[in-house]
Amino acid sequence: MIDVPKSDQTRSACQELAALVTQHTDGKGNGAHPTAIAQLEFMRETVVSTTMCAVCEPILAIVIQGKKEALLGEEAYQYGAGQYLVVSVDLPLNGFVLEATPNKPYLGFKLNLDPAQLCDIIAQVRPSTNKKESSVRGLFISDVDALLMDCAIRLTRLLDTQQDIPFLAPMIIREIYYRLLMGEQGEAVRQIATSGSNMQRIADVIKQIKADFTKSLRVEELAEQANMSPASFHRHFKEVTSMSPLQYQKQLKLVEARRLMLAENADATTAAYQVGYESPSQFSREYSRMFGAPPIKDIERLRTA
């Protein structure tokens, strides 16, 4: 667990960004708020939230006010005001807000990351690295430094002069990538977009699993695609995602089944078959283990909330 930084500089910058984000989210309710900048959205919650699970694509998420927890498999990551989370590959995450009130809501700044843009910057900057490459977790947390926070503030300010967005937003977003690359987590960021890195090879396999998660997995075939031995592939996959390929696929199935029941009113049996389960009873057991309640009770609880 990481302590929330308390420096006056960080606190002042968070307050400035919180005021800007409040202008664009106040009175619009809880949840995600898209902006005129396609990659950027703000998060606002006035109450402590129940756990929600989704497949999270590569993002930078800065906590401006409040505190949040992300669960990856059995690992818990807490981060608060003045800290950021980066997700570098598609990961099934449970997340919930730990601190929020109507008077002081949870506020977040979320920017979708484009590995291709990162790759372009890496090719130009060529950051030095003296470390032998090793797989790193596809999720990490760090303190926001003054330069990265300044980028976030300037990007948010562009929403007040939308005619400037087409020209200036891409430049500021590029600077954000650069700051991440040159920051204390630069090694992990570099691996996201370095051709042939273990991270990128695992990311390519993850995309394939995600594209057809109802298909039976053959670890040997996935290892061959990643140009690794089965043992090496299994180890690197678990280092990046905290779970095995089969566990990863199972979480994708359960997240999609939950979405089908909640958003499309599918019953549990139909949802189970649609995501590739042959046994409704096995689906119910695994669903209960992941979400803490059988499908019907869980969906009723979510709708009530």
Side-chain angles (χ1 to χ4, degrees):
M1 194 176 299
I2 303 174
D3 292 332
V4 178
K6 301 296 184 183
S7 73
D8 291 341
Q9 185 179 27
T10 300
R11 188 180 300 110
S12 175
C14 281
Q15 289 173 349
E16 182 179 358
L17 187 53
L20 293 171
V21 171
T22 297
Q23 291 177 16
H24 296 283
T25 61
D26 196 21
K28 295 182 179 179
N30 290 333
H33 297 274
T35 72
I37 299 170
Q39 290 175 251
L40 177 66
E41 67 179 18
F42 302 134
M43 308 301 295
R44 179 186 178 92
E45 296 290 344
T46 56
V47 294
V48 173
S49 64
T50 56
T51 302
M52 290 300 293
C53 187
V55 179
C56 185
E57 296 180 347
I59 61 162
L60 161 68
I62 300 175
V63 175
I64 307 165
Q65 191 167 272
K67 184 181 286 187
K68 195 170 186 180
E69 181 170 82
L71 301 176
L72 176 62
E74 296 181 353
E75 298 175 353
Y77 297 82
Q78 288 189 10
Y79 55 117
Q83 294 182 298
Y84 70 85
L85 170 144
V86 167
V87 175
S88 57
V89 296
D90 296 355
L91 291 174
L93 294 179
N94 286 286
F96 56 96
V97 172
L98 296 175
E99 290 182 4
T101 66
N103 292 331
K104 194 172 183 180
Y106 169 87
L107 296 174
F109 171 105
K110 178 181 170 186
L111 186 72
N112 293 327
L113 297 178
D114 181 355
Q117 289 189 41
L118 264 175
C119 190
D120 180 52
I121 294 172
I122 289 169
Q124 293 185 48
V125 175
R126 298 187 182 279
S128 61
T129 175
N130 298 319
K131 297 180 181 179
K132 183 179 178 182
E133 184 197 350
S134 59
S135 289
V136 294
R137 184 71 81 234
L139 177 157
F140 59 83
I141 291 171
S142 271
D143 296 340
V144 183
D145 62 28
L147 294 172
L148 182 58
M149 184 64 84
D150 178 63
C151 291
I153 290 171
R154 284 187 284 116
L155 187 64
T156 303
R157 285 194 181 282
L158 282 183
L159 296 173
D160 294 327
T161 56
Q162 295 197 10
Q163 69 274 15
D164 296 332
I165 289 175
F167 186 78
L168 295 179
M171 291 195 292
I172 298 175
I173 291 171
R174 187 176 177 85
E175 183 181 349
I176 287 174
Y177 290 174
Y178 175 79
R179 297 301 177 193
L180 289 173
L181 187 61
M182 303 307 289
E184 65 178 4
Q185 296 285 355
E187 181 70 16
V189 175
R190 184 182 66 83
Q191 289 195 34
I192 298 173
T194 298
S195 179
S197 69
N198 292 331
M199 171 74 79
Q200 191 178 75
R201 285 187 281 171
I202 295 299
D204 288 341
V205 171
I206 284 173
K207 285 185 175 66
Q208 179 178 320
I209 296 173
K210 187 181 174 188
D212 191 4
F213 56 81
T214 63
K215 180 182 177 182
S216 296
L217 287 187
R218 289 184 56 83
V219 174
E220 293 81 5
E221 292 178 359
L222 297 176
E224 185 178 351
Q225 178 188 334
N227 197 25
M228 297 176 181
S229 69
S232 177
F233 169 73
H234 193 278
R235 185 179 76 255
H236 286 302
F237 192 97
K238 193 160 188 177
E239 285 173 347
V240 171
T241 67
S242 89
M243 61 193 85
S244 71
L246 289 174
Q247 289 170 328
Y248 181 93
Q249 183 194 45
K250 182 191 296 183
Q251 292 214 9
L252 292 184
K253 289 181 176 182
L254 294 172
V255 168
E256 174 61 9
R258 197 187 208 193
R259 187 197 69 80
L260 289 169
M261 290 185 289
L262 189 61
E264 300 184 17
N265 293 318
D267 59 60
T269 300
T270 300
Y273 287 135
Q274 281 194 313
V275 300
Y277 277 89
E278 296 179 357
S279 166
S281 60
Q282 181 189 3
F283 167 73
S284 184
R285 284 195 305 274
E286 294 184 352
Y287 189 101
S288 298
R289 195 175 300 125
M290 181 167 174
F291 296 118
I296 293 175
K297 287 187 178 180
D298 178 59
I299 297 304
E300 288 177 350
R301 179 180 63 188
L302 288 174
R303 285 180 175 149
T304 301

